[in-house]
Amino acid sequence: MIMDDRGSSFVAVRRISQGLERGNTYHSNSAEAVAGSAAWLGRGLSCVCAQRRESDARPSFDLTPSEEECLQRLQIRIDIAYNSSILEHQEALRALWNAAFPDEELHGLISEQWKEMGWQGKDPSTDFRGGGFISLENLLFFARKFPKSFKDLLWKQEGNRSAWEYPFAVAGVNITFMLIQMLDLEAVKPRTMVGAIFLKFLSEDESAFDLLYCIAFKLMDHQWLAMRASYMDFNTVMKTARHQLERELLLEDITRLEDLPSYSLLTR
């Protein structure tokens, strides 16, 4: 396990067998800790989200009053840390479990069961430090808005997968963090054209960040398969997905996020 500058961590998940059922037990050496259908490895990984770009020389873009209000509301969401003592946060976490595993009872908010979803340990709250409560909201939005795509990614049902796969849930937290950086959402005003364009979409649809998250997650997995990636390639895949997303946001004929070419990945 390695940490980024916000405390986020990333581990790799090994696909033991395409046909291995959840809930089965497997034992290996000390380098692997296995739960359900996944074995976990915490070596040699780094998180692309830790690479923060800061430059006072970047230009800023003026906002309309509506865009400014929407940005401030989104920044409030971004600033909320996950707190396991808050009932709303507990309920959101349970809702995520129920969306992912509707036929399996959750034994507790701290449980070995969470490893089945791709959390690094039995307490998901330790992984939310990198993305805050909004990263949980993003995952829950994805599960509710695009349940088929969510399940496809959770169970790695598409394409020829690597023997060592990225863990679904922790990757999701990394995508939240990546989008916050890419769109420069912690600045008072956007300092990139991509950020300015996104705020226009946000002013027209308050769920724009959540929707872009779903697009980004699906795009990342698409790039993962296209590059025949394994866990050591995660940084490269994330960078490639980010650059592709930036290029699509800058296309002239994009008037809403649903016009992005990668949006079609969610609906096919």
Side-chain angles (χ1 to χ4, degrees), residues 2-10 47-52 77-82 119-120 123-136 138 169-181 186 209 213 238:
I2 52 99
M3 311 297 290
D4 69 15
D5 60 352
R6 284 191 174 185
S8 179
S9 55
F10 185 78
C47 176
V48 67
C49 302
Q51 300 171 2
R52 184 185 297 277
R77 288 182 65 194
I78 291 170
D79 287 340
I80 298 174
Y82 179 84
W119 300 106
Q120 70 170 11
D123 184 2
S125 68
T126 61
D127 292 322
F128 286 126
R129 289 178 297 177
F133 183 58
I134 193 173
S135 59
L136 172 54
N138 289 157
V170 178
V173 175
N174 276 270
I175 289 172
T176 297
F177 192 92
M178 179 271 285
L179 288 176
I180 291 170
Q181 288 187 310
E186 294 178 307
F209 184 79
Y213 171 89
M238 285 284 283

Side-chain angles (χ1 to χ4, degrees), residues 31-136:
E32 298 174 1
V34 185
S37 62
W40 300 82
L41 179 70
R43 294 181 178 178
L45 296 172
S46 57
C47 176
V48 67
C49 302
Q51 300 171 2
R52 184 185 297 277
R53 296 188 303 169
E54 295 183 355
S55 172
D56 293 334
R58 283 188 291 173
S60 62
F61 295 81
D62 290 332
L63 302 176
T64 66
S66 175
E67 290 170 348
E68 187 172 353
E69 290 176 7
C70 289
L71 174 59
Q72 289 173 353
R73 285 195 292 270
L74 181 54
Q75 287 173 334
I76 290 173
R77 288 182 65 194
I78 291 170
D79 287 340
I80 298 174
Y82 179 84
N83 188 332
S84 57
S85 68
I86 297 177
L87 181 60
E88 178 188 359
H89 294 194
Q90 296 174 13
E91 291 176 345
L93 192 55
R94 287 192 182 93
L96 179 63
W97 175 268
N98 292 333
F101 309 116
D103 299 323
E104 183 175 344
E105 182 182 357
L106 178 64
H107 298 156
L109 294 182
I110 298 178
S111 169
E112 294 290 337
Q113 292 172 284
W114 288 108
K115 295 179 181 179
E116 299 179 37
M117 193 183 294
W119 300 106
Q120 70 170 11
K122 62 183 181 180
D123 184 2
S125 68
T126 61
D127 292 322
F128 286 126
R129 289 178 297 177
F133 183 58
I134 193 173
S135 59
L136 172 54

